[in-house]
Structure formats: C-alpha cells, structure tokens
Amino acid sequence: MKKRTIWVLVAAMVLTFAALIVIQGRYVLLNVELLNNQFNESVRRSLFQTVKIIEENEALNYLAKTLGYEEPQEQATDRMELEEQHQLLKRRIDSLAASKEFTKKRGLLPAESRRSTIEETSRYLQERYQQNFSRSRTILDQAVFRWLKGTEEKNILERLDVDDLAEILETALHNNGIDIPFQYSIVDKQGRIVYKQPSGGKVSENIIRKDEAVFTQRLFPFEDASNPCFLQVFFPHRHDYAVYSLRLVLPSVVLVFLILLVYVVTIIVIFRQKNLNTMKSDFINNMTHELKTPISTISLAAQMLQEQDVANRSPESLKQIATVIRDESKRLSIQVEKVLQMAMFEKENSTLKLTEVNINALITDVIGSFSLKVASKGGRVITRLEATDDVALVDEVHFTNVIFNLMDNALKYCGDKTLLLTVETYNVKDNLVIAIEDNGIGISKDDQKRIFEKFYRVSTGNLHNVKGFGLGLAYVKKIVTEHKGTIKVESEPNIGTKFIITIPILKNYEL
C-alpha cells in the first residue's frame, strides 16, 4: 500500500470519527437541555400543586371548624324547625288526601280544584326549601367573610402546617418524577427567611447557596395580601438527576470510545505494517546483495581452477584460491543462517531441544573461538564467571548463538576504540545472570526502546560499513523469552553498552 493511500485512509478515518463525535455531542447536549427543561417544568408544576393544596386545605379546615362547632345552637334550631314544618306539612297532605278521597267518592270535588291543590302544595314546598337554602348560604357567606378577614391578621406560620407542607411538597415532586433531595424555606417579599427547613429526614441538610438555581412560588397566590410570602426550593444534587437520566446515552458513549480505540489500533497497525513491509523489502535487497557477493567470488575462483594453465600455478596461488572459496563459503553459510533466523519469527514458538547445560562452560567455549576475532583487532576479553549454580535447561545451539550474537555486536560497533569486552555470570536468588559489556559507541535512549524489534537497525552515523539485517537482537530476545528469561540493555552513547540476561536455573525451571 502506497504511503499516500495510507494518509488518505487515515484522514478519512479522522474526519469520520470527528463527525461522529460532533453528532454525538450535539445529541447529548440536546438531551441535557431537554432534561433541564423537563426538570424545571416538573418542579414548577409541583410547587403550584403544593400551594393549591395548602390553600384548599386551609379553606376546608376553617369551614369544617366553623360549621361543626361555632354555631351549634342555630343549626339545631333550624333542624327542629324543619322537622316541625315537615310533620305539619305531612299532616296537611294526609288530611287533604282524605278529603279528596271522600269528595271523590261523593263526586263533590271537581278536576280543576284537585289540580290547584297539588300546585299550591308543590309551590309551598319549593318556597320552604329555598328559604332553608338561603339561610344556609347566608351562614356560609358569613363564615367565609370572617375567614378572609381573619387571614389578613394571621402570621403565615399560623395559616399552614410546616409538616404538612414538607409532606405535600415531597409527594408532589415524587408524582412529577423527581426523587432527589431538596431544601426548602419560606421567605417574605424582602427575601428575609420566615421559616427554614430543619435538618434530618429524607431531604438534604445542605444550605441554599447563591450559585444554585432556586425555584420560587408564592403562597396563597390568589390573595391580594400586602405582605405575601414565598416558598423557595432548591436541589443541591440537581446534576445527579441529569446524570441519572442520561444513563441511556451511556452505551452510545461507550460505543464511540470503542470505535475510537479501533481507529487508533487500526492506524497503528497500518503504520507498523507499512514499516514492516519497508524493512522486509530492505532485508530482501540486502540479503540478495550479500548472497550474490560470495556466490560471485566462489564462481570466479572455480573458473580460475578450470583454466588450462592451472597446472602451472604455484602452490601458494592454489592455496589462496582455496582459502577464498573456504572463506566465502563460510560467509554464505552465515547469510543462510540469517535467513533461517528470519523464518523462526514466522512461528509463534520455536521447537527448542532443552538439555541440562553448564552455562559457564558454554560461555567459555564461545569466548575461546571468539577471542581470536577480538585479538585480531587489538582488543581483549575479560571473563568473570562467578555463578556458583550455573546449570540451566536450555537449547545449546540457540543459546550459543545468543551469546555469540551479543559478542559479535560488541565487535561490530566498537568504532575506532580498542574493544574491551567483559563477560560475567552470577546468581541472584534462584536465577542465573549473564552480563556482556563493551566500551563501544553505545546506544541512545530512543534506540534502546526499539533495538529488540525485528528488522530495526540502530543508526550508526558514519559507520555505514557495518552490515546487518536487524535480526540479531530480535533473535536474541525471542530465544531468551522462550527460555522463560528476560533481557535488558544499559547503554550510554560513546561510553558503552551492557546486555543483561536473566534465566532460571535448573531447580527453578518450570516446564
């Protein structure tokens, strides 16, 4: 995939996600605004219902008290009078009915006279009931007049029961879908507190703060009072209502973040794959060049041996040709080994042949064959194999390659310095530690984070003659990890580098 295509794809993903964030944000803001409006409307409706119920309760309580207790004598007199009139009327009707029956039998009472008597009786009853209704209406009017006159002189706390107020307010809020703690108080028109809700109960114990939204409703709003009072309510945890109400939006928010995570991971994978493809291409190009060089050299040497005058060549010339063929064959073998190492990375786990190995003896053998290379460049190797318990379960071939690769890197990257290579072993608890330290060009902090990545090569400035494919340290890391060990690097530019390998000893190794 071309780099331009990747950037276009990344830009499209970023724009798509940005649009999704904007849409989701607008949706959340609209929901918050809608919830706030709904909350405000519910509170106002609850307050109006509360003061309406309080006003009705005051009127009903006063009328019940007035009609039930203040004028019992007058009510008793009216009832007695109505009963007497009812009995008298009943006797008159019975008497008239008897007279009508007697007259009817004698044929003395005409039809018009009988209708007139019934109409008079009905009109009489209507007049009596109207008189009784007017008398009761007058009593109620007088009671209401006295109540209205008395309320102007009463204190607000004498007109309502604060316990009933709290209960009515809480019930009204609950019926309108609001169940969060609240604080209420009664104030006059100057804002002075007439009554403040005591602590305790279901309601909040917080005090009203100036930065909180306070809902206000006038008490007895239909009265034309000179000093009205107001019911104030505020909600110290109002934000909890919006948060709780937005719980349905939470899945979509989580989904958006999951999409963001997928986008980020996808972009990272794309760039890593791009870098990996680039490094693989470089590896193939380098490997092709490295393979062609020894093959060409061996081919040339073979051609020289096929010439007709080969018998006339001196033994020294033939020995030189044989040496070239041997060295280039060894070089070709090393390159093939690099290819095989690369193939190992395509497998999740390598097939290791684990055996009990004395690590001190293994390192001594490697140093014995490697010290000649170091000595040829004027360097030297210092060994401190102080591990007393050095038997570990390892694959001897691969672990030998690990030690050899680390020493070979020290030789490659010594720069213009005389190499001083120090190899030591020691025990830490139930582990064996192998430290390989050099005095070479060192590794920067940024490169230290990536030196164990496949195909990654440290920038060496002007040392372009250092050959490699970025597989050596990646191979070392893989083999050490599969031996249930760890490897870390300590390095300072122009001072040197130290690799520290830690593996479990035999008695601590768990299959």
Side-chain angles (χ1 to χ4, degrees):
M1 186 181 292
K2 295 182 179 180
K3 192 172 183 179
R4 180 179 179 182
T5 305
I6 294 176
W7 280 112
V8 170
L9 180 61
V10 170
M13 294 171 68
V14 171
L15 290 176
T16 303
F17 185 76
L20 181 62
I21 289 292
V22 171
I23 294 173
Q24 187 68 26
R26 287 174 59 87
Y27 173 71
V28 172
L29 291 177
L30 288 174
N31 273 275
V32 170
E33 183 179 359
L34 180 62
L35 288 171
N36 284 332
N37 293 337
Q38 180 182 354
F39 181 87
N40 295 340
E41 182 61 27
S42 298
V43 173
R44 294 190 186 98
R45 184 166 57 249
S46 300
L47 292 180
F48 181 78
Q49 292 172 354
T50 299
V51 298
K52 184 178 179 181
I53 292 174
I54 290 173
E55 192 171 29
E56 291 177 355
N57 286 348
E58 182 191 32
L60 293 174
N61 291 336
Y62 185 83
L63 291 176
K65 181 179 179 181
T66 300
L67 297 177
Y69 299 99
E70 290 189 1
E71 296 178 347
Q73 185 62 38
E74 182 177 353
Q75 290 181 5
T77 303
D78 289 341
R79 281 198 303 273
M80 291 176 63
E81 182 179 353
L82 287 174
E83 290 177 1
E84 291 177 356
Q85 292 175 357
H86 179 70
Q87 293 297 332
L88 178 61
L89 182 61
K90 185 178 180 181
R91 286 195 296 271
R92 290 187 60 186
I93 292 174
D94 292 341
S95 176
L96 286 172
S99 300
K100 290 176 182 178
E101 185 66 25
F102 177 78
T103 307
K104 184 178 181 181
K105 290 180 180 180
R106 295 295 185 95
L108 300 175
L109 186 63
E112 293 181 2
S113 177
R114 289 196 300 270
R115 277 197 306 272
S116 176
T117 303
I118 293 173
E119 292 175 356
E120 290 176 358
T121 303
S122 176
R123 188 165 47 251
Y124 172 77
L125 292 174
Q126 291 178 2
E127 290 176 356
R128 294 302 302 171
Y129 280 117
Q130 188 171 1
Q131 290 176 1
N132 293 333
F133 176 77
S134 298
R135 185 181 297 107
S136 300
R137 177 70 178 272
T138 300
I139 294 172
L140 290 174
D141 289 344
Q142 291 175 354
V144 171
F145 178 77
R146 287 195 300 272
W147 167 54
L148 293 174
K149 184 177 181 181
T151 54
E152 297 179 359
E153 302 173 358
K154 287 184 179 181
N155 184 279
I156 189 65
L157 298 180
E158 295 176 356
R159 301 184 61 184
L160 55 84
D161 188 332
V162 291
D163 293 332
D164 289 344
L165 172 61
E167 184 177 354
I168 294 170
L169 179 58
E170 184 176 336
T171 302
L173 290 171
H174 174 75
N175 292 338
N176 285 284
I178 300 175
D179 291 315
I180 59 176
F182 63 89
Q183 174 86 29
Y184 77 93
S185 62
I186 300 174
V187 299
D188 59 16
K189 64 180 180 180
Q190 284 80 26
R192 295 188 296 266
I193 296 178
V194 177
Y195 174 81
K196 184 172 68 174
Q197 167 204 336
S199 301
K202 180 180 179 181
V203 293
S204 171
E205 297 183 6
N206 296 351
I207 60 172
I208 296 179
R209 300 196 302 266
K210 292 182 179 180
D211 59 339
E212 295 285 354
V214 179
F215 297 87
T216 303
Q217 173 64 49
R218 179 176 172 176
L219 292 168
F220 305 104
F222 301 107
E223 293 183 0
D224 188 15
S226 58
N227 187 24
C229 288
F230 300 86
L231 174 63
Q232 286 189 341
V233 178
F234 92 108
F235 301 85
H237 303 295
R238 177 176 176 176
H239 63 281
D240 293 343
Y241 175 83
V243 172
Y244 179 75
S245 300
L246 285 173
R247 65 191 184 280
L248 297 177
V249 183
L250 184 60
S252 61
V253 174
V254 173
L255 182 60
V256 169
F257 279 102
L258 287 177
I259 294 174
L260 173 61
L261 181 62
V262 171
Y263 275 22
V264 171
V265 171
T266 302
I267 292 173
I268 293 174
V269 169
I270 288 174
F271 277 101
R272 283 187 176 179
Q273 192 65 35
K274 174 63 177 177
N275 293 334
L276 187 61
N277 289 335
T278 301
M279 289 186 289
K280 278 188 175 182
S281 299
D282 294 340
F283 171 80
I284 293 173
N285 293 333
N286 291 336
M287 180 59 68
T288 302
H289 175 74
E290 293 294 331
L291 291 176
K292 285 176 65 177
T293 301
I295 291 174
S296 298
T297 304
I298 293 173
S299 177
L300 180 61
Q303 184 178 355
M304 292 174 63
L305 292 175
Q306 290 178 347
E307 292 179 356
Q308 294 180 355
D309 60 345
V310 64
N312 298 326
R313 289 183 178 274
S314 64
E316 291 79 9
S317 176
L318 293 175
K319 183 178 181 180
Q320 184 180 6
I321 293 173
T323 301
V324 169
I325 293 175
R326 185 196 64 186
D327 291 343
E328 292 302 315
S329 297
K330 185 181 294 184
R331 181 179 175 187
L332 184 60
S333 177
I334 292 174
Q335 303 306 328
V336 172
E337 180 65 25
K338 294 292 185 182
V339 175
L340 294 177
Q341 287 182 8
M342 179 183 176
M344 287 185 58
F345 292 102
E346 304 302 327
K347 303 179 182 178
E348 292 186 2
N349 293 306
S350 304
T351 303
L352 300 178
K353 297 179 180 180
L354 301 178
T355 57
E356 297 180 14
V357 177
N358 187 299
I359 302 300
N360 286 343
L362 183 147
I363 293 175
T364 301
D365 291 340
V366 175
I367 292 175
S369 60
F370 192 78
S371 58
L372 295 176
K373 288 186 176 183
V374 177
S376 65
K377 292 191 176 183
R380 63 192 181 97
V381 180
I382 300 174
T383 58
R384 299 192 186 98
L385 307 181
E386 300 175 354
T388 57
D389 196 346
D390 65 330
V391 178
L393 201 61
V394 299
D395 184 303
E396 187 171 1
V397 174
H398 285 294
F399 207 79
T400 300
N401 289 338
V402 167
I403 304 300
F404 184 86
N405 281 352
L406 293 177
M407 291 183 179
D408 191 51
N409 278 348
L411 186 62
K412 286 180 180 178
Y413 296 100
C414 64
D416 297 330
K417 298 180 180 180
T418 300
L419 177 62
L420 179 61
L421 184 62
T422 302
V423 182
E424 56 183 332
T425 63
Y426 53 89
N427 292 111
V428 176
K429 296 183 178 180
D430 293 330
N431 294 316
L432 174 65
V433 179
I434 304 169
I436 300 176
E437 184 176 4
D438 63 62
N439 62 337
I441 62 176
I443 305 172
S444 66
K445 294 292 184 181
D446 293 335
D447 287 327
Q448 289 179 32
K449 300 175 182 178
R450 301 189 60 189
I451 58 174
F452 295 111
E453 294 180 10
K454 186 169 53 173
F455 301 116
Y456 183 78
R457 296 192 64 198
V458 176
S459 175
T460 56
N462 294 326
L463 298 178
H464 295 294
N465 58 331
V466 178
K467 302 296 182 180
F469 308 106
L471 289 174
L473 290 178
Y475 168 77
V476 168
K477 171 75 171 178
K478 181 178 179 64
I479 296 302
V480 171
T481 302
E482 291 188 4
H483 280 83
K484 303 185 184 301
T486 60
I487 183 171
K488 64 179 181 178
V489 60
E490 297 175 358
S491 183
E492 291 290 337
N494 300 319
I495 295 178
T497 302
K498 183 178 183 179
F499 288 94
I500 302 172
I501 299 173
T502 303
I503 59 173
I505 59 177
L506 179 62
K507 65 180 181 180
N508 193 38
Y509 193 92
E510 295 181 1
L511 294 176

